[in-house]
């Protein structure tokens, strides 16, 4: 805590920068365009050949030598490479230059479900096949979970609070909540925050498949991720990163920064019910929604759109639809799950979808839920955006996330004033 005055804890924060590395493309524009077009990204994955589920959503054409340099390309885990790439885009988008900012007043908060699991698996395989002398001395600096945050801070010369969050598939959204708290406490003036994960690995894919969590549509991967559809049979594993730059609105106004959206509120809860299954009545998600609306100073009737967690698993989608029906009743907001396009990027999902929600209110355009064909009794009362992106006046929009361990997060965004 510095000597600077604390910010108003009820004041919305400004989203001044967005950076995305997703299966829909490298960069915010590429991702937004494909998500709005509703074109799925899932495809057969040669690296998963012979495994129970041989398809995934990969980031297309990602060459780490281009994005983080030749030296860092072999020193950093894939998830850290994604995180740094997205963070640099977000900072540039915000009109900021790390060469001239006061790094002591810049925070970095990065969330990840599994950290450098790509490095962990590859080095463990080396150990078993060729012995200890083949294991890289860079193994630990590459796979420790906090390294995405630490290496991003090094890349940006950010010397304020640098933290890692781990709430499974809600990790990226949790990182944004922590960043908002740091700004509102006056612990920093700029927060670079989001999530990154690269869990499309043989062990992770096999483990999810053994749980029955993944779609089994190997014959038609592009149609496999079907959020809220009656024929959904599991999620498609994905990778990527989403990073936002948050600032206090007064600071953003002072430097005449571009503002994509206002980060208006948030809620965070835990089911305290089961390690992997959501609470049958959606107790935790409901409370997280209520808390997000309270911190945004809004009621359910003011919500115009929701970017849902919508994994395409039978249980999660039914639980989430039930909670939304119960809370919003006779005036349901429009709902989208962008996982129909991107698949499920694990710990990066929450921040990627937060970025897409900020863009939704900025552009006043709600992306469609790809691959949705017909509802079932559990999802039929949702006002899903399907087919084409839907342009309509949008005030308050929410982004929901959930993760193993019972974690629930809800983020609220408004258009810039």
């Amino acid at each position: 805590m510095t000597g600077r005055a604390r910010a108003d804890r009820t004041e919305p924060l400004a989203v001044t920068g967005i950076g995305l590395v997703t299966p829909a493309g490298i960069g915010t524009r590429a991702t937004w365009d494909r998500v709005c077009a509703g074109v799925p990204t899932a495809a057969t994955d040669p690296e998963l050949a012979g495994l129970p589920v041989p398809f995934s959503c990969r980031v297309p054409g990602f060459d780490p030598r281009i994005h983080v340099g030749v030296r860092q390309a072999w020193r950093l885990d894939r998830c850290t490479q994604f995180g740094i790439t997205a963070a640099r885009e977000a900072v540039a988008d915000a009109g900021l230059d790390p060469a001239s900012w006061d790094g002591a007043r810049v925070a970095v908060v990065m969330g990840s479900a599994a950290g450098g699991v790509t490095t962990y698996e590859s080095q463990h395989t080396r150990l078993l096949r060729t012995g200890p002398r083949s294991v890289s001395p860079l193994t630990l600096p590459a796979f420790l979970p906090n390294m995405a945050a630490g290496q991003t801070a090094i890349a940006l010369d950010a010397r304020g609070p640098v933290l890692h969050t781990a709430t499974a598939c809600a990790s990226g959204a949790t990182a944004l909540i922590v960043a908002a708290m740091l700004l509102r406490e006056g612990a920093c003036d700029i927060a670079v925050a989001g999530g990154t994960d690269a869990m499309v690995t043989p062990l992770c894919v096999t483990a999810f498949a053994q749980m029955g969590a993944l779609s089994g549509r190997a014959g038609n991967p592009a149609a496999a991720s079907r959020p809220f559809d009656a024929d959904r049979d599991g999620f498609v594993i994905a990778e990527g990163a989403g990073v936002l730059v948050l600032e206090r609105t007064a600071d953003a106004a002072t430097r005449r920064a571009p503002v994509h959206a206002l980060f208006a509120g948030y809620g965070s809860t835990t089911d305290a019910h089961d390690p992997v299954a959501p609470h049958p009545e959606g107790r935790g998600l409901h409370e997280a929604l209520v808390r997000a609306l309270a911190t945004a100073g809004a009621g359910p009737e003011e919500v115009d759109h929701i970017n849902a967690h919508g994994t395409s698993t039978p249980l999660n989608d039914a639980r989430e639809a039930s909670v939304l029906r119960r809370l919003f009743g006779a005036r349901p907001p429009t709902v989208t799950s962008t996982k129909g396009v991107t698949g499920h990027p694990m710990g990066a999902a929450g921040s990627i979808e937060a970025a897409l929600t900020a863009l939704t209110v900025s552009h006043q355009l709600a992306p469609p839920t790809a691959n949705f064909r017909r509802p079932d009794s559990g999802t039929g009362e949702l006002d899903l955006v399907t087919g084409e992106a839907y342009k309509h006046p949008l005030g308050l929009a929410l982004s929901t996330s959930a993760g193993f361990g019972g974690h629930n997060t809800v983020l609220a965004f408004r258009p810039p004033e």
Side-chain angles (χ1 to χ4, degrees):
M1 182 74 188
T2 73
R4 300 196 182 192
R6 289 186 174 186
D8 180 350
R9 293 184 181 182
T10 63
E11 180 189 22
L13 299 168
V15 179
T16 56
I18 295 175
L20 292 171
V21 177
T22 78
I26 301 171
T28 299
R29 170 52 64 185
T31 297
W32 176 247
D33 286 348
R34 184 149 182 174
V35 166
C36 285
V39 179
T41 62
T44 300
D45 188 334
E47 295 187 28
L48 303 180
L51 297 180
V53 174
F55 59 96
S56 70
C57 295
R58 293 273 194 182
V59 174
F62 183 81
D63 185 344
R65 296 170 297 179
I66 295 173
H67 297 288
V68 298
V70 174
R71 179 179 170 84
Q72 294 294 67
W74 60 270
R75 294 173 68 94
L76 304 179
D77 187 86
R78 188 170 173 86
C79 86
T80 301
Q81 296 166 1
F82 289 158
I84 290 174
T85 303
R88 283 176 169 157
E89 184 193 10
V91 169
D93 183 45
L96 292 164
D97 182 359
S100 59
W101 67 19
D102 178 3
R105 297 295 302 166
V106 179
V108 173
V109 189
M110 296 290 282
S112 178
V117 69
T118 304
T119 299
Y120 181 88
E121 283 192 38
S122 64
Q123 295 301 315
H124 189 243
T125 300
R126 282 190 183 188
L127 175 65
L128 297 179
R129 289 180 176 173
T130 56
R133 293 180 64 84
S134 66
V135 174
S136 169
L138 299 175
T139 299
L140 282 165
F143 95 76
L144 290 176
N146 63 308
M147 284 302 170
Q151 293 284 7
T152 300
I154 293 170
L156 299 179
D157 188 30
R159 291 172 279 110
V162 174
L163 305 171
H164 169 78
T165 59
T167 52
C169 299
S171 297
T174 303
L176 290 165
I177 293 175
V178 173
M181 291 176 173
L182 292 172
L183 282 164
R184 287 177 171 172
E185 288 295 326
C188 61
D189 297 325
I190 298 166
V192 180
T196 183
D197 251 328
M199 291 179 65
V200 188
T201 68
L203 178 60
C204 291
V205 170
T206 301
F208 279 124
Q210 291 295 90
M211 294 178 67
L214 299 182
S215 171
R217 288 191 171 86
N220 189 9
S225 182
R226 302 184 180 193
F228 300 113
D229 187 87
D231 296 323
R232 65 190 183 276
D233 70 336
F235 69 81
V236 178
I237 194 166
E239 60 182 11
V243 175
L244 279 63
V245 172
L246 301 181
E247 300 177 66
R248 289 183 286 272
T249 52
D251 291 346
T254 297
R255 69 178 189 87
R256 298 181 179 180
V259 177
H260 293 285
L262 299 178
F263 184 30
Y266 49 81
S268 175
T269 65
T270 303
D271 285 350
H273 165 68
D274 186 272
V276 295
H279 187 276
E281 297 174 0
R283 179 177 61 191
L285 178 59
H286 182 273
E287 180 60 25
L289 284 158
V290 170
R291 292 186 188 186
L293 291 174
T295 58
E301 71 281 357
E302 296 177 62
V303 178
D304 294 313
H305 181 72
I306 297 175
N307 189 312
H309 188 55
T311 56
S312 180
T313 58
L315 199 58
N316 176 82
D317 287 7
R319 185 284 306 254
E320 187 168 13
S322 171
V323 171
L324 298 182
R325 260 199 325 271
R326 192 165 68 245
L327 182 60
F328 294 102
R331 188 188 178 281
T334 55
V335 175
T336 291
S337 169
T338 45
K339 289 186 177 73
V341 172
T342 66
H344 190 349
M346 314 314 295
S351 57
I352 290 173
E353 290 156 18
L356 294 173
T357 307
L359 292 169
T360 294
V361 298
S362 175
H363 291 282
Q364 300 281 286
L365 183 68
T369 302
N371 287 328
F372 181 84
R373 290 171 173 79
R374 65 186 183 93
D376 64 17
S377 59
T379 63
E381 294 181 23
L382 293 180
D383 187 6
L384 278 175
V385 181
T386 61
E388 299 180 350
Y390 179 50
K391 192 167 186 61
H392 65 130
L394 292 168
L396 189 65
L398 307 179
S399 178
T400 62
S401 297
F404 282 178
H407 304 289
N408 304 282
T409 61
V410 178
L411 311 178
F413 295 89
R414 294 185 187 277
E417 296 173 347

